[in-house]
Amino acid sequence: MATPTPTLEARDLVVDVPGRQDGRALTLGIASGQVWGVLGPNGAGKTTLLHTLAGLRPSRAGEVCLEGRPLFGWRRRALARRLGLVFQERHDDFPATVRETALIGRHPFLSPWQQEGPEDHALAAAALARLDLSHLAERELATLSGGERQRVSLATVLTQAPAIWLADEPTNHLDLHHQVAVMGLLAEQAERGGAVMMCLHDLNMAARWCSHLLLLYPDGEACWGPAEAMLVPAALERLYDQALTRVEVEGAPVFVPRR
Ligand SMILES: Nc1ncnc2c1ncn2[C@@H]1O[C@H](COP(=O)(O)OP(=O)(O)OP(=O)(O)O)[C@@H](O)[C@H]1O
């Protein structure tokens, strides 16, 4: 039997943003090979949308389907084998090293008391190397800088190796080199048949790396589609309430805020 294409779908989905009227119902699919960026100002509901797509909070209406089946019909463990989540600012209270944290990515694949095996350790080591963390493998998480911590979150999901990545501001806290490396890593997941949706504040990173964009407005209005169709200066200026100048660099649009 052929492996099903990893696809996460929002069907007439109304995200439950507290204190806000129902916004535009979202009907869109995140398909294999696609990199979706979610853009919008602070408070527009980007994180809430990602949490809803991950099944961590109920929607107001509509449903989320994974591989054609509603999310609520999936067992958490089966879901965790397919769906990887990179969320903002995790503050883990229990002490753990970087390596131990990355290995958490293997938990959906192990039975409750099963120890990680050599293959799990190899996956974690490769993920740490990919995120430039090998030299920090035995360090306690609590001693890391913000950017190092962010890279550990990404390494943990890379160790999990899900088909679908949901990432909330994955380049948060990262220096420019690591921002580009992480966008490249996410694009590579899609090139290998995975699917990615991420919230971003950097319009130019989105323009350069995303195949599709979803613009979320503060009043709940939304539009989505192929990136080139969404990168319209007037729509982006309205989105951010900010005048922009569009220039082109190496064939990609670059948006510069006007003073
Ligand atoms: N538990 C809650 N109680 C009340 N309001 C909430 C709660 N959770 C979220 N909100 C509100 O819902 C709105 C959407 O929040 P969300 O975190 O999804 O926005 P966002 O687009 O991700 O913003 P940012 O760009 O600042 O990360 C915000 O106005 C937020 O204050």
Side-chain angles (χ1 to χ4, degrees), residues 17-18 41-48 57 88 169 201:
V17 178
N42 292 141
K46 302 180 296 297
T47 297
T48 311
R57 54 180 297 149
Q88 292 189 44
E169 298 182 37
H201 279 300

Side-chain angles (χ1 to χ4, degrees), residues 15-20 38-51 57 88 168-169 199-201 216:
V15 174
D16 185 18
V17 178
R20 196 171 74 189
V38 184
L39 299 177
N42 292 141
K46 302 180 296 297
T47 297
T48 311
L49 166 66
L50 237 54
H51 285 194
R57 54 180 297 149
Q88 292 189 44
D168 199 355
E169 298 182 37
C199 302
L200 281 172
H201 279 300
L216 279 186

